[in-house]
Amino acid sequence: DQQVKQNSPSLSVQEGRISILNCDYTNSMFDYFLWYKKYPAEGPTFLISISSIKDKNEDGRFTVFLNKSAKHLSLHIVPSQPGDSAVYFCAASGTSYGKLTFGQGTILTVHP
Amino acid sequence: SAVISQKPSRDICQRGTSLTIQCQVDSQVTMMFWYRQQPGQSLTLIATANQGSEATYESGFVIDKFPISRPNLTFSTLTVSNMSPEDSSIYLCSVEPLVDTEAFFGQGTRLTVV
């Protein structure tokens, strides 16, 4: 049972445009959501998070939106840069910020 | 944040043998975890490494196969025992530096079992 799903295996975007990565979850006990970025041969790097009591969190070019009723969150990157090309993982936790359930990942490619 | 050093970064092992992976953190942390990423799959939590006591394993993972030690607040090991090709994965250590803070990950250990 995949409790966190990223239905788009890949996304291709032009430099300067917006990248939107989506994530759905099924477990209503999740109350904290995170996005991680992963380059090849490296561990995941924390990007941005959001608590279930909020619907939006912004950090520079990155904004995460949470729709609890739809059990859906999205990551917006504006403007997208070629250095953003990586695998993006959505993750959720219910008890500990370190005990995470991950989605399958979305490969983002930003073309110059 | 925390700087995490994981060793080895990669290894090729014979089936039936065991490999111990080390995770060293540059500061004391409250929580340490071990994850596995099988080829083409997402990251899956194996267990929480508890300092001074037995690790807490997630469903589908057992101590006999993945024994874990955590002798202090900065160090943990994961052993992959009696390996088979199905154990070929990336194994990652992660830490939660303080209570209710985001987890940081090591660079991972890429294991290939032949």
Side-chain angles (χ1 to χ4, degrees):
Chain A
D1 175 33
Q2 191 76 24
Q3 297 186 62
V4 179
K5 297 182 182 180
Q6 294 174 256
N7 292 317
S8 298
S10 63
L11 175 68
S12 183
V13 173
Q14 203 69 29
E15 181 179 6
R17 305 294 291 268
I18 184 171
S19 296
I20 300 177
L21 297 97
N22 294 301
C23 179
D24 297 294
Y25 63 96
T26 57
N27 189 339
S28 58
M29 298 301 292
F30 289 144
D31 61 6
Y32 196 65
F33 304 90
L34 308 90
W35 286 93
Y36 284 83
K37 180 170 70 172
K38 187 179 185 300
Y39 295 115
E42 293 184 12
T45 301
F46 169 72
L47 200 56
I48 192 169
S49 62
I50 188 167
S51 166
S52 61
I53 63 174
K54 296 184 176 181
D55 55 16
K56 176 183 175 181
N57 188 26
E58 194 171 353
D59 184 1
R61 296 186 297 115
F62 303 93
T63 303
V64 56
F65 296 92
L66 175 64
N67 184 333
K68 280 196 70 177
S69 60
K71 292 190 175 65
H72 176 84
L73 63 154
S74 61
L75 174 68
H76 293 210
I77 306 174
V78 181
S80 300
Q81 300 173 353
D84 295 330
S85 298
V87 180
Y88 287 78
F89 287 98
C90 169
S93 73
T95 56
S96 162
Y97 287 17
K99 292 187 67 173
L100 300 170
T101 301
F102 281 85
Q104 307 94 309
T106 297
I107 301 171
L108 173 65
T109 304
V110 181
H111 298 283
Chain B
S1 65
V3 176
I4 304 167
S5 175
Q6 220 178 297
K7 293 180 181 179
S9 59
R10 58 175 60 231
D11 207 341
I12 301 173
C13 300
Q14 296 290 324
R15 68 177 66 202
T17 63
S18 298
L19 176 72
T20 295
I21 303 168
Q22 298 181 0
C23 178
Q24 178 74 54
V25 192
D26 68 341
S27 59
Q28 293 185 345
V29 295
T30 55
M31 307 286 281
M32 295 182 76
F33 307 90
W34 288 97
Y35 285 81
R36 178 178 74 180
Q37 185 182 20
Q38 295 177 296
Q41 303 294 315
S42 185
L43 286 78
T44 302
L45 179 63
I46 297 172
T48 302
N50 300 308
Q51 194 265 328
S53 64
E54 193 170 286
T56 305
Y57 290 84
E58 298 299 308
S59 175
F61 298 96
V62 295
I63 187 171
D64 290 345
K65 177 66 176 177
F66 298 102
I68 288 170
S69 78
R70 188 177 175 192
N72 56 53
L73 292 176
T74 64
F75 185 78
S76 178
T77 66
L78 167 74
T79 299
V80 186
S81 302
N82 189 23
M83 289 182 286
S84 66
E86 291 70 35
D87 294 319
S88 297
S89 298
I90 299 173
Y91 292 86
L92 297 122
C93 168
S94 80
V95 304
E96 187 177 331
L98 299 171
V99 175
D100 289 350
T101 60
E102 291 77 22
F104 293 88
F105 284 80
Q107 80 276 20
T109 296
R110 182 178 292 274
L111 170 64
T112 302
V113 183
V114 296

